[in-house]
């Protein structure tokens, strides 16, 4: 699944951050037919060493991260820790302790003498799974706690699938992240690319579509 990523000229980017919509466990795997029937996913941790070459961090805030139960979710984080891959968010939108995290991202640092060097920049990334319930105002407010200190990126996962644009519920929710203090919102879940807007001077992408998917 990673064989053609070089066509996107990865070396031109400081970092790639992705929505990882699959738990990573060593459980016995079921057939593709069973996965399609029950929509319960389970990926092999053996993919991670290659994934790490491309992706700097992943969000776990989606409706499939917990498809293998609490034990599978814990094992997923364990495998990411073993590979030293950063992650944020989780399947439960009201788990306020795990919504946001400060990530250390590679970046080009411009110096006063006009030269540049490789460095690290701390940024806050927040993940919200809003597929089965809308995050409360208290949960949305978690992202705003960091806004006076860091740049804040929100990656929500919500709305109807296979639609060309967001509905009013999704629009209201995504704008509320900006109102709470987020700098930018990158949405997932629709599986199709949806509209973007500049809301109060901040970018909202309602759905980025699929990147690697079956």
């Amino acid at each position: 699944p990673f064989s053609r990523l070089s066509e996107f000229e990865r070396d031109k980017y400081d970092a790639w951050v992705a929505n990882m919509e699959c738990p990573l466990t060593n459980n016995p795997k079921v057939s593709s037919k069973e996965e399609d029937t029950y929509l319960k996913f389970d990926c092999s941790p053996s993919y991670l060493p290659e994934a790490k070459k491309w992706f700097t961090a992943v969000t776990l805030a989606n409706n499939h991260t917990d498809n293998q139960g609490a034990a599978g979710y814990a094992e997923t984080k364990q495998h990411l820790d073993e590979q030293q891959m950063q992650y944020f968010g989780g399947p439960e939108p009201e788990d306020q302790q795990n919504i946001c995290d400060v990530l250390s991202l590679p970046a080009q640092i411009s110096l006063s003498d006009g030269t540049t060097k490789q460095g690290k920049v701390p940024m806050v990334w927040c993940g919200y799974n809003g597929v089965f319930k809308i995050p409360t105002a208290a949960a949305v407010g978690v992202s705003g706690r960091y806004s006076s200190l860091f740049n804040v990126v929100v990656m929500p996962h919500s709305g109807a699938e296979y639609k060309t644009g967001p509905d009013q519920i999704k629009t209201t929710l995504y704008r509320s992240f900006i109102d709470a203090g987020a700098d930018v919102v990158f949405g997932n879940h629709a599986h199709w690319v949806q509209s973007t807007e500049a809301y109060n001077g901040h970018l909202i992408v309602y759905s980025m579509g699929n990147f690697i998917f079956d």
Side-chain angles (χ1 to χ4, degrees):
F2 307 102
S3 61
R4 297 182 63 184
L5 293 190
S6 58
E7 295 176 21
F8 291 92
E9 299 179 291
R10 173 66 178 86
D11 59 339
K12 291 186 176 181
Y13 299 87
D14 293 317
W16 278 4
V17 179
N19 169 48
M20 193 179 73
E21 201 159 1
C22 192
L24 299 157
T25 81
N26 289 313
N27 296 340
K29 302 304 184 234
V30 301
S31 67
S32 296
K33 181 179 180 180
E34 288 177 276
E35 276 200 345
D36 290 344
T37 300
Y38 299 107
L39 288 178
K40 288 196 172 184
F41 301 159
D42 189 17
C43 291
S44 171
S46 63
Y47 284 109
L48 277 183
E50 183 66 22
K52 183 183 177 182
K53 297 176 184 178
W54 303 93
F55 301 103
T56 313
V58 295
T59 171
L60 304 180
N62 58 68
N63 56 308
H64 290 290
T65 303
D66 61 352
N67 279 180
Q68 298 300 309
Y73 176 48
E75 185 181 346
T76 297
K77 293 190 288 185
Q78 175 188 334
H79 291 305
L80 290 167
D81 288 336
E82 290 168 352
Q83 293 296 323
Q84 297 183 320
M85 285 189 70
Q86 300 180 89
Y87 56 88
F88 59 96
E92 174 50 61
E94 298 306 312
D95 180 10
Q96 295 188 18
Q97 296 299 314
N98 290 303
I99 290 173
C100 301
D101 209 341
V102 181
L103 304 187
S104 177
L105 300 184
Q108 289 285 334
I109 307 298
S110 297
L111 304 179
S112 57
D113 62 2
T115 62
T116 61
K117 70 174 185 177
Q118 276 296 122
K120 296 280 188 178
V121 171
M123 292 180 63
V124 169
W125 290 70
C126 304
Y128 291 86
N129 174 23
V131 174
F132 301 117
K133 55 185 176 182
I134 300 172
T136 63
V140 170
V142 171
S143 59
R145 296 176 188 171
Y146 302 87
S147 59
S148 65
L149 300 172
F150 299 96
N151 290 320
V152 178
V153 178
V154 172
M155 289 185 71
H157 197 88
S158 69
E161 296 177 301
Y162 310 112
K163 301 293 183 181
T164 56
D167 57 24
Q168 188 60 53
I169 294 174
K170 187 172 181 176
T171 300
T172 299
L173 174 63
Y174 287 20
R175 288 176 177 177
S176 74
F177 294 123
I178 300 297
D179 292 336
D183 293 289
V184 62
V185 177
F186 294 123
N188 292 303
H189 182 64
H191 299 292
W192 287 4
V193 175
Q194 292 184 341
S195 56
T196 66
E197 71 168 333
Y199 173 70
N200 289 343
H202 296 271
L203 175 66
I204 299 178
V205 180
Y206 283 102
S207 176
M208 296 183 291
N210 294 337
F211 190 54
I212 299 175
F213 213 69
D214 62 11

